[in-house]
Amino acid sequence: MDLDTKYIKIINYLLKKIRGSTFPNPGVFALIVESDKKFISNRIVSFGFTQFTGRPHAEAVAISGARFFANKIYTLYSSLEPCCHQGRGESCVKKILKSKVNRVVFSIKDPDQRVNGKGMSILKKNGLEVKYNILSDEIKKTYRGYIYNRTIQRPQVTLKVGCSIDSKIAMKRGQQDFITNKLVKKIVHNYRAEYDAILVGGNTINIDNPKLNCRIKGLEYLSPYRIVLSKSLDFDSNSEILKKRNQKLTIIFTLESSKRKKEKIKDKCFKLISLNKQNFTLSNILNELAKFGICNLLIEGGSKIFTSFLNEDLVDQIIIFRSNSFIGSKGQDLLTKNYKSKQKSFFQSSFCIVRDNTMEVLERKE
Amino acid sequence: MDLDTKYIKIINYLLKKIRGSTFPNPGVFALIVESDKKFISNRIVSFGFTQFTGRPHAEAVAISGARFFANKIYTLYSSLEPCCHQGRGESCVKKILKSKVNRVVFSIKDPDQRVNGKGMSILKKNGLEVKYNILSDEIKKTYRGYIYNRTIQRPQVTLKVGCSIDSKIAMKRGQQDFITNKLVKKIVHNYRAEYDAILVGGNTINIDNPKLNCRIKGLEYLSPYRIVLSKSLDFDSNSEILKKRNQKLTIIFTLESSKRKKEKIKDKCFKLISLNKQNFTLSNILNELAKFGICNLLIEGGSKIFTSFLNEDLVDQIIIFRSNSFIGSKGQDLLTKNYKSKQKSFFQSSFCIVRDNTMEVLERKE
């Protein structure tokens, strides 16, 4: 493996560690490597990653942590093309040009139209050596949500399902109960920390009254946005979702136009989006969520919501946690009778044993 | 690892290769190892395994293939205690005593009451060194069907399920269709060769009209017994199951007493067992099958049969093949509404990817 691939590989590994902490910015990891003129001796002298809530950027952190010496070559490695647009501060390209960095090697072009090749060409024009498209297939997987957000204007959609061996998601229709084990619950909370937002249907609010936050000690601040699809806004105003937990935004999509109903749940932590019947479609809703910067969306049910997302072919990934026992046909089905197409197929990308349960990840076939 | 464990380990590995070919005898693997007086130089000089339909036995084959020299020690290794009862020929114990074998090392005592320690004590009385209980936990797994047959008088029961991601076993109730892929079909045929018998319900005969034989080229002769539970004998007399395929026995359990109905399907390859209502229970039926020498029984459906076996806690193993797409709640459930207990639990013992499908093996928690 050549040197550049080696460092991008390290970056790809580290990138997974900051998942979910950089919203609304994409998580980026950068390394600065010091080499002699012949690239015989090389060492990492600094690193940086996108900080909480997106600032400062990875490249800025890496540069500020490095000491530059004469007679050495400095390569800045990054998972993503450095930004060239003024955001909440000086752009990374400007910072690189001010530093002693000689080479910039990144994995993929930034799909954001404000950068998308422009960062690269400014660096080149200023005499820096630039290389990219390294391990890009792997890195693209990590950035899939961000790429979708910037190119097809919707988040990456992951269904999370907890069920019995025979795929029942509850004992009886509408009855809350715990099918999977405690370790699965912890894993789910960990996923919540890694996702930008969780979406559920209004029924789920009424039946399960979920908090939809991350309750792992120390990671509560990574709780995601909470999204509810409620056509008629008929849920209890004491619902957990309406409490100002973690001060994270809750976005409620509704068809309801009654001012009285709306007033009842209005609050600064809530965004109520009224759509008319024609616009109350999943693709419009996903498009709205993309505008909020949401790149990775976790759907936590129930069966009506699962079925709708699958029917509209808007599911990229499915995570299935299965228990170690059966429920039988009295239990509630994973999908409703309205599930349409049997053509959509997935492939199993990973499987593991979670104590006496299992976890399976399915990916949509491209 | 000591020498004896090493050879029993080899035997345990080889044992899996002869699964299903030794009916009605248990499959046994034997090795003869030649050693110097100090066990410094040791080599396998002969091996044998139970031949097709059970004769000759492994030990007899191994002895007949060995050349014995003076000044050497010969150890006969076997997975199972050598038999001491007259069967379709001289017992293995007699054959060993006539040979130059000095030591006999086997993994587990034969659970068959005609042997069960007796073989061992005859060998000891005749001055041979005898060792046993080596790797017995592993070997017992391989012999589980045989042990169940001889101790609790029923075969080991394995459910085989082919289903969609959401555990539907057919598109619609009673509609035959292929959910899993072609490679899964081949694996199932391979399992059929390894099992002594396949059991289905009468409904499955009417709906799917299955052949229930092994159709892998070259392995057709390993097709299992076919067992049908049909309370009213109301299946089509042109059913595939009633054809004399492979000349293997088909056993039909029924409540029906009408001579006319019985005559219609009578044939030398069929055994019709009439039970009265009180005796038509799964445990009685399994007991009857054990009497036929059946140690390993594969249940191929449908949902009524699956549910009954689970309800009566008679399932030792479940093999689930899952496709890569959903069917939705219009499809047929794996279990019926009569599924009773949610207490029974299983653990995942293995999982693998079968092209775009998956295969999962669940074992009953002891």
Side-chain angles (χ1 to χ4, degrees):
Chain A
M1 197 188 321
D2 73 290
L3 220 59
D4 292 339
T5 310
K6 183 180 114 180
Y7 289 115
I8 295 288
K9 204 160 189 138
I10 294 170
I11 282 176
N12 189 29
Y13 175 75
L14 294 167
L15 211 44
K16 286 161 192 150
K17 310 284 174 191
I18 55 167
R19 253 187 215 153
S21 67
T22 64
F23 183 81
N25 275 66
V28 176
F29 218 102
L31 296 175
I32 294 180
V33 172
E34 183 187 87
S35 310
D36 61 291
K37 298 278 178 193
K38 289 188 168 172
F39 293 93
I40 291 164
S41 156
N42 309 281
R43 61 186 192 108
I44 296 172
V45 293
S46 175
F47 72 92
F49 51 87
T50 319
Q51 299 296 293
F52 183 53
T53 72
R55 293 279 157 166
H57 280 186
E59 297 92 328
V61 177
I63 288 169
S64 72
R67 268 186 75 193
F68 296 93
F69 296 92
N71 272 325
K72 296 283 184 188
I73 294 176
Y74 291 92
T75 308
L76 183 133
Y77 290 94
S78 177
S79 47
L80 195 68
E81 181 181 4
C83 69
C84 55
H85 60 296
Q86 190 88 16
R88 280 175 277 169
E90 198 175 33
S91 79
C92 289
V93 162
K94 270 192 185 163
K95 283 211 160 77
I96 292 168
L97 292 177
K98 277 185 188 169
S99 78
K100 305 282 183 200
V101 165
N102 315 88
R103 303 174 72 230
V104 174
V105 177
F106 60 87
S107 178
I108 59 164
K109 269 203 223 178
D110 192 333
D112 191 305
Q113 285 308 317
R114 295 169 294 177
V115 186
N116 201 243
K118 294 182 199 99
M120 182 172 74
S121 53
I122 299 172
L123 292 169
K124 273 186 183 171
K125 268 183 208 154
N126 283 278
L128 272 75
E129 186 191 335
V130 177
K131 268 180 79 176
Y132 71 109
N133 252 349
I134 290 164
L135 278 188
S136 53
D137 286 348
E138 278 88 334
I139 300 266
K140 270 179 191 161
K141 271 181 208 160
T142 314
Y143 281 115
R144 192 160 66 170
Y146 177 60
I147 295 171
Y148 280 10
N149 184 297
R150 296 303 196 270
T151 56
I152 55 172
Q153 284 76 47
R154 70 160 178 89
Q156 172 179 221
V157 173
T158 303
L159 301 190
K160 183 234 112 187
V161 179
C163 63
S164 61
I165 300 174
D166 54 337
S167 299
K168 301 295 174 182
I169 61 170
M171 294 302 177
K172 277 183 189 171
R173 184 165 290 272
Q175 187 179 308
Q176 191 193 8
D177 34 37
F178 301 99
I179 294 169
T180 47
N181 68 29
K182 280 182 184 169
L183 186 55
V184 164
K185 211 170 171 179
K186 280 194 184 164
I187 294 173
V188 171
H189 277 275
N190 208 59
Y191 270 110
R192 286 181 176 177
E194 292 185 352
Y195 275 76
D196 303 329
I198 303 181
L199 184 148
V200 294
N203 273 346
T204 298
I205 300 297
N206 286 332
I207 296 160
D208 297 346
N209 191 18
K211 299 189 181 78
L212 299 182
N213 55 358
C214 171
R215 295 194 288 279
I216 292 175
K217 246 188 170 162
L219 296 184
E220 297 89 344
Y221 72 103
L222 294 179
S223 285
Y225 279 15
R226 299 174 291 187
I227 322 293
V228 186
L229 308 192
S230 173
K231 287 187 175 167
S232 54
L233 276 189
D234 57 356
F235 50 82
D236 187 351
S237 53
N238 289 319
S239 299
E240 289 285 350
I241 199 97
L242 296 182
K243 291 177 186 163
K244 279 194 264 180
R245 202 159 270 104
N246 306 313
Q247 305 293 324
K248 282 286 169 78
L249 194 64
T250 298
I251 308 173
I252 302 171
F253 288 90
T254 187
L255 278 179
E256 186 58 51
S257 52
S258 144
K259 255 197 174 165
R260 192 188 51 79
K261 271 196 178 180
K262 283 181 178 178
E263 284 302 328
K264 232 171 101 188
I265 60 160
K266 225 172 182 172
D267 192 295
K268 63 173 178 162
C269 277
F270 300 101
K271 179 96 193 159
L272 204 60
I273 302 182
S274 298
L275 296 171
N276 60 33
K277 211 171 176 181
Q278 199 183 330
N279 290 326
F280 201 92
T281 66
L282 293 184
S283 42
N284 279 339
I285 287 166
L286 289 183
N287 183 240
E288 288 294 330
L289 294 179
K291 288 179 195 162
F292 281 95
I294 292 166
C295 296
N296 294 294
L297 179 67
L298 191 64
I299 315 283
E300 291 210 16
S303 52
K304 252 173 132 175
I305 292 282
F306 288 153
T307 308
S308 309
F309 273 93
L310 282 167
N311 275 346
E312 298 202 23
D313 199 17
L314 288 169
V315 177
D316 304 304
Q317 200 180 43
I318 306 169
I319 305 174
I320 302 180
F321 296 97
R322 273 185 214 277
S323 78
N324 59 350
S325 55
F326 291 91
I327 286 181
S329 65
K330 273 178 201 151
Q332 195 190 341
D333 265 316
L334 198 162
L335 300 178
T336 69
K337 280 191 178 152
N338 295 323
Y339 179 70
K340 276 176 205 157
S341 167
K342 51 171 187 172
Q343 311 307 332
K344 279 165 224 100
S345 64
F346 292 83
F347 68 93
Q348 282 77 7
S349 73
S350 78
F351 176 90
C352 68
I353 305 263
V354 184
R355 277 185 202 146
D356 55 356
N357 291 180
T358 59
M359 172 181 161
E360 201 179 335
V361 180
L362 305 169
E363 304 274 345
R364 190 233 305 262
K365 281 194 179 170
E366 298 289 349
Chain B
M1 197 188 321
D2 71 290
L3 220 61
D4 291 338
T5 310
K6 182 179 114 180
Y7 289 114
I8 295 288
K9 205 162 189 136
I10 294 170
I11 281 176
N12 190 28
Y13 175 75
L14 294 167
L15 211 45
K16 286 162 190 145
K17 310 285 175 191
I18 55 165
R19 252 186 215 154
S21 68
T22 64
F23 183 81
N25 275 66
V28 176
F29 218 103
L31 297 175
I32 293 179
V33 171
E34 183 187 271
S35 310
D36 61 291
K37 298 280 178 189
K38 288 186 170 171
F39 293 94
I40 291 164
S41 156
N42 309 282
R43 61 186 192 106
I44 296 172
V45 293
S46 175
F47 72 92
F49 50 88
T50 318
Q51 299 295 293
F52 182 55
T53 73
R55 294 281 157 161
H57 281 185
E59 296 91 329
V61 178
I63 288 169
S64 72
R67 266 186 76 192
F68 297 93
F69 294 92
N71 274 323
K72 297 281 183 190
I73 294 175
Y74 291 92
T75 308
L76 183 134
Y77 290 94
S78 177
S79 47
L80 195 68
E81 181 182 6
C83 69
C84 57
H85 59 297
Q86 189 88 16
R88 278 176 279 168
E90 200 174 35
S91 79
C92 288
V93 162
K94 270 191 185 165
K95 282 209 162 80
I96 292 168
L97 292 177
K98 277 184 188 171
S99 78
K100 304 282 184 202
V101 165
N102 315 88
R103 302 176 72 231
V104 174
V105 177
F106 60 87
S107 178
I108 58 166
K109 269 203 221 179
D110 191 334
D112 190 306
Q113 284 309 317
R114 293 169 296 177
V115 184
N116 201 244
K118 293 185 199 96
M120 183 174 74
S121 54
I122 299 172
L123 291 169
K124 275 187 180 170
K125 268 182 207 156
N126 282 275
L128 273 75
E129 187 192 335
V130 178
K131 268 180 77 179
Y132 72 107
N133 252 349
I134 291 165
L135 277 187
S136 53
D137 286 348
E138 280 90 332
I139 300 264
K140 271 180 190 160
K141 274 183 206 158
T142 314
Y143 281 115
R144 193 161 63 170
Y146 177 60
I147 295 170
Y148 279 11
N149 184 297
R150 295 304 197 267
T151 56
I152 55 172
Q153 283 76 48
R154 71 161 177 89
Q156 171 178 219
V157 173
T158 303
L159 301 192
K160 183 233 111 186
V161 178
C163 63
S164 61
I165 299 174
D166 54 337
S167 301
K168 301 295 174 181
I169 60 169
M171 295 300 178
K172 279 181 188 169
R173 184 165 290 273
Q175 188 178 308
Q176 190 194 9
D177 32 37
F178 301 99
I179 294 170
T180 48
N181 69 26
K182 280 181 185 170
L183 186 54
V184 164
K185 213 172 168 179
K186 279 193 186 165
I187 294 174
V188 171
H189 277 276
N190 208 57
Y191 269 111
R192 287 180 176 178
E194 290 185 351
Y195 275 76
D196 302 329
I198 304 180
L199 183 148
V200 294
N203 273 345
T204 298
I205 300 297
N206 285 332
I207 295 160
D208 297 347
N209 191 19
K211 296 191 184 77
L212 300 183
N213 54 359
C214 171
R215 295 195 288 280
I216 293 176
K217 246 187 172 166
L219 296 185
E220 297 89 345
Y221 72 103
L222 294 179
S223 286
Y225 279 15
R226 298 176 290 189
I227 321 293
V228 186
L229 308 193
S230 175
K231 286 187 177 167
S232 55
L233 276 191
D234 58 355
F235 51 82
D236 187 350
S237 54
N238 288 320
S239 298
E240 287 285 350
I241 198 100
L242 297 181
K243 290 175 186 163
K244 278 193 266 181
R245 201 161 269 104
N246 305 314
Q247 306 294 322
K248 282 287 168 79
L249 193 65
T250 298
I251 308 173
I252 302 171
F253 287 90
T254 187
L255 276 179
E256 185 59 52
S257 52
S258 142
K259 256 197 174 169
R260 193 188 50 79
K261 273 196 176 178
K262 284 182 179 178
E263 284 302 326
K264 232 172 100 187
I265 60 160
K266 223 171 185 174
D267 191 295
K268 63 174 177 162
C269 277
F270 301 102
K271 178 97 193 161
L272 205 60
I273 301 182
S274 300
L275 296 170
N276 60 35
K277 212 171 173 182
Q278 197 183 334
N279 290 325
F280 200 92
T281 65
L282 293 184
S283 43
N284 278 342
I285 287 166
L286 289 182
N287 183 239
E288 288 293 327
L289 294 179
K291 288 180 195 161
F292 281 95
I294 293 166
C295 296
N296 294 294
L297 179 68
L298 192 64
I299 314 284
E300 291 209 14
S303 51
K304 251 172 132 176
I305 291 282
F306 289 153
T307 308
S308 309
F309 273 92
L310 282 166
N311 276 346
E312 299 204 19
D313 198 16
L314 288 169
V315 178
D316 304 304
Q317 200 181 43
I318 306 169
I319 305 173
I320 302 179
F321 296 97
R322 274 187 212 276
S323 79
N324 57 352
S325 54
F326 290 92
I327 285 181
S329 65
K330 273 179 202 150
Q332 195 190 341
D333 267 319
L334 199 162
L335 300 179
T336 69
K337 280 192 178 149
N338 295 323
Y339 179 70
K340 277 176 203 160
S341 167
K342 52 172 188 173
Q343 311 306 333
K344 276 166 225 100
S345 66
F346 291 83
F347 68 93
Q348 282 77 5
S349 72
S350 79
F351 177 89
C352 68
I353 305 262
V354 183
R355 277 183 202 146
D356 56 355
N357 291 180
T358 58
M359 174 180 159
E360 200 180 335
V361 180
L362 306 169
E363 303 274 345
R364 190 232 308 260
K365 281 196 178 165
E366 298 290 349

